[in-house]
């Protein structure tokens, strides 16, 4: 083939990425698996989370907890694709613990993107400091009344955690509640080292002009944290944060008036990560089902993989996992090339994989049969974990699909945008679709 005709598309892992995969798999199997299996059985949700602290400290020593930050700020300098390679290996064993790492990114990446030099130096340096093996960062956007319509034009809809400036003290006074933020309670329910909270800084404006972000520090008076007991992802923490006149320095403000854009960009960055997490869980189920099919006879003369129905189902399971993985890599690669774009492909990636992989896990259970319900085997737990993916990290049914819809409705979008790798920055004009109350929109 002439040199000019060589196809540039390449799915080959570099030697460094292969080493990353091996190291992450070894960590997952040797360190994470026994701790996660034990923590999943702890009844108290906060104690289950606390049980993972030694694993977290080992992950920090290995550079995993801030690997997504640039090297110039003390991070690992990993690309989005690199991060996905590591996350898949961890999630094939337990998806809750890697969620802690993901949420570190959801809190720290906004500081990288939008922070002042002083904010970057303080918070990114704090996160990557040599003596901060237990550093924890929270991302607080969700509220009890719902978050999917954060860009609604009514000031009474969307984000309702109010932040009012006290000019006399140069502080914002926070009143309201966040429901479901991850990591924000910290290891001792006195707060994470930092939490990035989306707040309403204008009582009269709509979601596209009245929202901002603010960094809330550990131990801030006027905030209480209560753990949420949940079905799955028990190795990570979710809490209700209640703010009763909590005071935060005005110097901690991020994205004044553009909190909506931060929400969209953050959930775009995390979309492929959540997607590959679902692939990892499906792969864990597939690994077990394949071994089962090769050894279990079902009372017959040979292993059940010799039956056509089993062979066909295994083929479909394997194909769906492979296709989903490469979609994740594509979305992450696009974000590496266009950090301020990718909102549609990130959302499509997350919704497609989250929905599909839940069905893959159930197909693995169908193949194993009633024994899949036996808690001595991993499939019952993996099914519990799989139901999380369509629901968390901006729900598939509304929030993620709305963002993709807004991009696709833009005149600059083309069906070739992503296959050609063309840039398409996200703008406020792409928001509001499906939020209700927007003129000309359903």
């Amino acid at each position: 083939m002439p040199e000019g005709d060589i196809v540039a598309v390449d799915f080959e892992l570099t030697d460094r990425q292969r080493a990353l995969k091996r190291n992450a798999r070894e960590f997952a199997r040797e360190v994470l698996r026994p701790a996660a299996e034990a923590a999943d059985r702890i009844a108290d949700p906060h104690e289950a989370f606390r049980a993972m602290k030694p694993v977290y400290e080992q992950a920090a020593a290995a550079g995993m907890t801030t690997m997504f930050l640039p090297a110039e700020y003390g991070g690992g300098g990993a690309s989005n694709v690199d991060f996905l390679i590591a996350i898949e290996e961890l999630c094939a064993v337990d998806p809750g613990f890697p969620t802690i790492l993901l949420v570190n990114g959801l809190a720290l990446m906004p500081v990288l993107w939008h922070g002042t030099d002083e904010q970057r130096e303080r918070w990114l340096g704090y996160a990557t400091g040599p003596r901060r093996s237990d550093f924890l960062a929270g991302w607080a956007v969700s509220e009890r009344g719902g978050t999917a319509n954060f860009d609604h034009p009514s000031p009474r809809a969307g984000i309702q955690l109010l932040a009012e400036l006290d000019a006399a003290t140069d502080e914002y006074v926070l009143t309201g509640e966040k429901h479901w933020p991850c990591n924000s309670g910290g290891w001792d329910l006195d707060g994470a080292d930092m939490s990035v909270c989306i707040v309403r800084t204008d009582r009269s404006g709509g979601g596209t002009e009245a929202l901002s972000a603010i960094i809330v520090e550990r131990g801030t008076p006027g905030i209480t944290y209560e753990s949420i007991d949940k079905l799955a992802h028990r190795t990570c923490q979710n809490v209700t944060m209640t703010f009763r006149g909590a005071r935060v320095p005005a110097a901690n403000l991020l994205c004044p008036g553009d909190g909506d854009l931060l929400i969209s960009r953050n959930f775009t960055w995390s979309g492929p990560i959540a997607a590959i997490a679902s692939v990892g869980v499906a792969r864990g189920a597939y690994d077990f089902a394949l071994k089962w099919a090769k050894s279990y006879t079902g009372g017959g003369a040979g292993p059940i993989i010799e039956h056509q129905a089993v062979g066909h189902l295994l083929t479909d399971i394997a194909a769906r996992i492979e296709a989903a993985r490469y979609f994740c890599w594509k979305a992450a690669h696009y974000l590496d090339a266009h950090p301020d774009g990718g909102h549609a492909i990130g959302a499509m990636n997350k919704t497609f994989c989250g929905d599909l992989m839940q069905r893959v896990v159930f197909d693995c259970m169908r193949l194993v049969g009633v024994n899949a319900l036996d808690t001595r085997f991993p499939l019952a737990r993996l099914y519990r974990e799989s139901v999380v993916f369509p629901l968390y990290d901006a729900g598939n049914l509304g929030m993620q699909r709305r963002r993709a819809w807004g991009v696709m409705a833009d005149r600059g979008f083309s069906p070739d945008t992503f296959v050609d790798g063309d840039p398409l920055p996200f703008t406020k004009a792409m928001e509001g679709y499906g939020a209700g109350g927007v003129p000309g929109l359903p």
Side-chain angles (χ1 to χ4, degrees):
M1 179 183 291
E3 184 176 350
D5 294 334
I6 294 176
V7 178
V9 176
D10 185 4
F11 293 98
E12 189 73 22
L13 298 182
T14 66
D15 290 342
R16 183 179 57 80
Q17 288 171 329
R18 289 179 182 275
L20 173 63
K21 177 180 177 179
R22 287 194 302 271
N23 292 338
R25 181 172 293 189
E26 180 180 5
F27 181 90
R29 293 178 174 178
E30 301 300 322
V31 180
L32 176 58
R33 187 193 302 276
E37 289 178 350
D40 184 69
R41 293 191 291 269
I42 297 174
D44 183 275
H46 181 62
E47 291 305 314
F49 172 63
R50 279 174 48 86
M52 301 305 296
K53 187 176 180 181
V55 178
Y56 184 89
E57 291 174 338
Q58 292 184 65
M64 292 183 182
T65 58
T66 55
M67 65 181 292
F68 43 79
L69 290 176
E72 64 184 287
Y73 292 106
S79 68
N80 287 306
V81 174
D82 293 340
F83 195 37
L84 261 61
I85 291 169
I87 290 295
E88 180 185 340
E89 296 305 319
L90 300 180
C91 288
V93 167
D94 171 65
F97 178 78
T99 302
I100 305 173
L101 313 186
L102 162 62
V103 175
N104 275 351
L106 284 168
L108 293 170
M109 294 302 283
V111 179
L112 175 67
W113 296 328
H114 304 292
T116 63
D117 290 341
E118 291 78 13
Q119 288 171 332
R120 292 192 190 101
E121 181 178 354
R122 179 182 181 187
W123 294 109
L124 302 186
Y126 187 25
T128 59
R131 293 180 295 277
R132 296 300 304 165
S133 62
D134 63 348
F135 175 89
L136 208 59
W139 165 238
V141 58
S142 299
E143 298 187 0
R144 197 180 296 271
T147 312
N149 294 308
F150 67 92
D151 50 357
H152 195 284
S154 171
R156 295 184 299 278
I159 302 298
Q160 295 299 309
L161 175 59
L162 186 64
E164 294 187 292
L165 180 64
D166 183 344
T169 61
D170 202 28
E171 294 173 317
Y172 279 93
V173 182
L174 275 59
T175 305
E177 186 183 75
K178 291 293 184 184
H179 191 54
W180 287 106
C182 187
N183 290 2
S184 289
W187 299 110
D188 57 2
L189 288 180
D190 195 28
D193 293 280
M194 61 169 293
S195 285
V196 172
C197 298
I198 300 297
V199 295
R200 176 172 291 278
T201 45
D202 181 352
R203 286 179 178 267
S204 61
T208 59
E209 66 267 6
L211 306 183
S212 306
I214 198 162
I215 300 170
V216 175
E217 302 176 46
R218 170 178 167 79
T220 297
I223 307 175
T224 57
Y225 305 86
E226 181 182 356
S227 290
I228 298 174
D229 195 4
K230 54 191 191 293
L231 173 72
H233 279 43
R234 297 186 62 82
T235 50
C236 66
Q237 176 200 72
N238 294 91
V239 297
T240 300
M241 298 175 67
T242 304
F243 299 78
R244 297 182 177 91
R247 289 181 170 269
V248 179
N252 288 11
L253 194 69
L254 288 171
C255 294
D258 286 328
D260 54 319
L261 294 180
L262 174 55
I263 292 172
S264 289
R265 183 169 184 179
N266 234 7
F267 284 132
T268 293
W269 176 80
S270 67
I273 304 168
I276 202 70
S278 69
V279 172
V281 168
R283 198 194 85 193
Y286 169 56
D287 287 347
F288 179 84
L290 181 61
K291 291 174 184 175
W292 182 273
K294 288 181 175 180
S295 60
Y296 183 70
T297 67
I304 62 173
I305 197 170
E306 297 175 1
H307 292 269
Q308 185 181 65
V310 173
H312 285 183
L313 184 55
L314 280 170
T315 299
D316 288 344
I317 288 169
R320 282 179 277 171
I321 290 172
E322 292 292 327
R325 176 184 294 117
Y326 304 139
F327 188 12
C328 295
W329 288 4
K330 167 63 180 179
H333 176 71
Y334 185 90
L335 290 177
D336 281 329
H338 308 294
D340 62 341
H343 289 59
I345 194 172
M348 291 187 290
N349 181 215
K350 195 266 179 178
T351 56
F352 178 83
C353 292
D355 292 345
L356 179 64
M357 293 300 100
Q358 184 185 0
R359 295 198 295 272
V360 168
V361 174
F362 183 63
D363 277 344
C364 291
M365 298 181 74
R366 291 172 56 210
L367 189 151
V368 172
V370 71
N371 289 298
L373 304 178
D374 191 328
T375 57
R376 293 175 300 171
F377 303 133
L379 287 180
R381 180 175 62 85
L382 290 172
Y383 185 72
R384 280 194 288 115
E385 303 292 1
S386 74
V387 303
V388 173
F389 296 109
L391 308 177
Y392 88 148
D393 196 61
N396 288 5
L397 186 60
M399 198 166 176
Q400 289 285 7
R401 284 183 165 91
R402 281 210 306 111
R403 290 193 305 108
W405 174 16
V407 174
M408 294 169 67
D410 189 83
R411 291 183 178 181
F413 178 80
S414 160
D416 293 324
T417 294
F418 300 125
V419 69
D420 290 344
D422 293 333
L424 183 60
F426 189 82
T427 68
K428 288 180 182 281
M430 297 173 180
E431 295 183 326
Y433 282 76
V438 180
L441 296 179

